Amino acid sequence: MMRRGQRLLLLLGLLASGVQAGDYPIQPQQIAPGSWAVIADTGYFTPANGGFLVNSAFIATGDGVVVIGSGPSRAFGEQYRRVIQATAGQPVRELLITHKHPDHFLGNQAFADVAILADARTTAMLQSEADGLAENLYRLVGDRMQGTEPRLPDTLLQPGMHPVGQRQLEFIAAPGHTQSDIAVFDHSSGVLYAIDQVFNGRTPTMPNADIASWLQSLDRLEALPFKLLVPGHGPVARDAGPIRATRRYLQWLDATLRAAANRGLTSNEVMQLPLPAEFASWAEARDEWRRSVGFLYGRYEQAALGALDTP
Ligand SMILES: [Zn+2]
């Protein structure tokens, strides 16, 4: 237990840094003129991190701020909005939801007065799944979710050019991490926001993944003339390294699950398989591998059985 003196020092430290008890450590990092990324912890959902595990970003366009992702909770969204206003010095104009995962949209309540954009497929999925996704996060994160309710996107996002103020933004359909994912390429700054199509030093999450279409999307993103890459998880990069690493992981995962199914391994046996050194060093490597086997292995077993049935 903390001694009184230590508690007092901690409290003074928090006051000095302007952090209030319960606040999320939101520290925008300027990545280009008028462009900021907020880089999150790379762990898994816990009460301690309050579900703040995913990167988000915001862009001052000269005609209001475009925000990419609202975070995991109402409290996060409210704090994030204050940080954006203070950092960018312009009011928020619109919020983009890149895909349906709950830690990207459960801060939407704090942006209820601006347009909340998502593509047609993600919007449709959120209409039926948002409550369940939110419940899941309540179960994992607890208290800091208080007062959080899913608020659905209200404006249709169309892939293609999206000029705003002085910015030429492009929305790019890049599915595979989920059934529908949108990347944002800012032609004006050269920044590519690939949230969650690209992971950097953190094991990709697979609950809704389609590996074949994810790989195609990575090829499309790598072909863009970007100068800076903001991944969904992990630090900002200056080259395509994280795109290639995400691709290598997906290819390894696909080949490993297929070979295991052909050998007739049980999912428990697959979960015990060794991870290559490159991927074993990533955050959440072993736990995420186990979860991925749980999500995906049944399909590979089915395919292996189907191949046996074919005369
Ligand atoms: Zn995601």
Side-chain angles (χ1 to χ4, degrees), residues 99 101 104 177 196 205:
H99 65 296
H101 286 157
H104 298 261
H177 171 63
D196 277 341
T205 58

Side-chain angles (χ1 to χ4, degrees), residues 27-140:
Q27 283 157 350
Q29 172 188 338
Q30 185 156 17
I31 52 174
S35 313
W36 291 267
V38 174
I39 304 303
D41 182 29
T42 52
Y44 193 61
F45 300 107
T46 63
N49 62 35
F52 175 34
L53 295 177
V54 69
N55 297 343
S56 59
F58 54 97
I59 306 163
T61 69
D63 189 14
V65 178
V66 173
V67 182
I68 305 174
S70 65
S73 67
R74 176 180 193 149
F76 182 95
E78 287 170 352
Q79 188 192 336
Y80 188 30
R81 183 141 184 198
R82 289 193 298 273
V83 169
I84 293 169
Q85 216 96 22
T87 308
Q90 294 173 28
V92 172
R93 169 200 174 98
E94 59 194 36
L95 166 66
L96 314 181
I97 303 304
T98 57
H99 65 296
K100 70 176 187 181
H101 286 157
D103 45 339
H104 298 261
F105 75 84
L106 282 175
N108 284 9
Q109 281 161 295
F111 298 86
D113 59 323
V114 301
I116 303 180
L117 284 70
D119 69 81
R121 183 97 195 263
T122 293
T123 302
M125 288 190 290
L126 287 178
Q127 278 162 357
S128 57
E129 298 174 35
D131 287 338
L133 290 164
E135 268 168 37
N136 200 21
L137 218 54
Y138 263 92
R139 191 171 53 75
L140 293 164

Side-chain angles (χ1 to χ4, degrees), residues 162-248:
H162 182 76
V164 192
Q166 298 129 9
R167 301 279 176 165
Q168 293 295 321
L169 303 182
E170 184 178 0
F171 296 152
I172 299 165
H177 171 63
T178 68
Q179 298 88 335
S180 193
D181 301 81
I182 297 291
V184 181
F185 183 43
D186 181 351
H187 288 260
S188 314
S189 65
V191 180
L192 172 62
Y193 302 88
I195 300 172
D196 277 341
Q197 299 92 41
V198 179
F199 284 65
N200 188 9
R202 203 276 185 201
T203 313
T205 58
M206 311 295 289
N208 310 107
D210 179 296
I211 293 176
S213 79
W214 196 340
L215 288 169
Q216 283 175 11
S217 293
L218 290 175
D219 291 347
R220 205 170 314 139
L221 296 182
E222 190 174 356
L224 295 168
F226 65 86
K227 294 187 203 136
L228 211 70
L229 171 69
V230 180
H233 298 260
V236 169
R238 299 206 162 269
D239 57 34
I243 297 181
R244 296 189 189 125
T246 303
R247 180 189 292 120
R248 283 196 297 277

